[in-house]
Amino acid sequence: MSQSSPVPVVERVDARNRYEILVDGERAGLTAYRDRGEQRVFYHTEIDDAFAGQGLASRLVQEALTDVRDSGKRIVPVCPYVAKFLQRHEEFADLVDAVTPDVLRWLDSRLG
Ligand SMILES: CC(C)(COP(=O)(O)OP(=O)(O)OC[C@H]1O[C@@H](n2cnc3c(N)ncnc32)[C@H](O)[C@@H]1OP(=O)(O)O)[C@@H](O)C(=O)NCCC(=O)NCCS
């Protein structure tokens, strides 16, 4: 009998400022952000090695950015993965703000 593969689930975890992707209840990766007014500044995305190369980062970021849209916020793609994703997904272009030196200084001070 064939087994169907588990459907990944993406959750926003406000207390940790990140979105997580779960596979079969196990955390497979995350994309981390800080909020700067109406801007959600994404600065790091990672998928655990055991789950790499399955398109999970793409699914995670797609759902995270859709949540940003639904929340009425804007996207600042400091994370190179999110920036690359946005180059290929023009449907989010109207929500994207530039990564400026001001944003980078602000992020540094937030992340210590
Ligand atoms: C980058 C990472 C999140 C990709 O996870 P994944 O689930 O294997 O990714 P997907 O299968 O959804 O997508 C693979 C794509 O990611 C791209 N990618 C890999 N590393 C990347 C990086 N550092 N920056 C941007 N894009 C990257 C690949 O080129 C590939 O693109 P393609 O689809 O055009 O071939 C994962 O490899 C990782 O955790 N790396 C270590 C942390 C890291 O470098 N994070 C990115 C910068 S914060």
Side-chain angles (χ1 to χ4, degrees):
M1 204 169 86
S2 67
Q3 280 191 316
S4 58
S5 37
V7 178
V9 174
V10 175
E11 293 179 347
R12 191 182 71 224
V13 184
D14 289 328
R16 293 183 156 184
N17 292 304
R18 64 200 202 186
Y19 295 81
E20 298 181 348
I21 188 162
L22 309 175
V23 177
D24 238 357
E26 186 179 352
R27 201 188 74 212
L30 61 92
T31 186
Y33 64 83
R34 289 289 185 279
D35 283 338
R36 181 178 187 250
E38 68 167 358
Q39 295 179 322
R40 185 151 287 172
V41 181
F42 287 90
Y43 64 92
H44 181 67
T45 304
E46 67 183 44
I47 295 293
D48 292 353
D49 286 349
F51 295 95
Q54 302 173 28
L56 290 181
S58 175
R59 185 178 183 120
L60 169 63
V61 169
Q62 171 86 41
E63 293 201 27
L65 300 187
T66 300
D67 182 68
V68 175
R69 181 186 290 288
D70 293 346
S71 305
K73 290 181 173 290
R74 301 192 56 78
I75 299 160
V76 185
V78 175
C79 167
Y81 184 85
V82 175
K84 187 175 169 188
F85 179 95
L86 285 166
Q87 284 171 10
R88 291 185 294 183
H89 292 264
E90 290 186 356
E91 68 268 26
F92 294 107
D94 59 319
L95 299 181
V96 179
D97 285 344
V99 177
T100 62
D102 265 2
V103 169
L104 293 176
R105 272 194 295 272
W106 172 89
L107 186 61
D108 270 356
S109 71
R110 280 306 171 103
L111 299 179

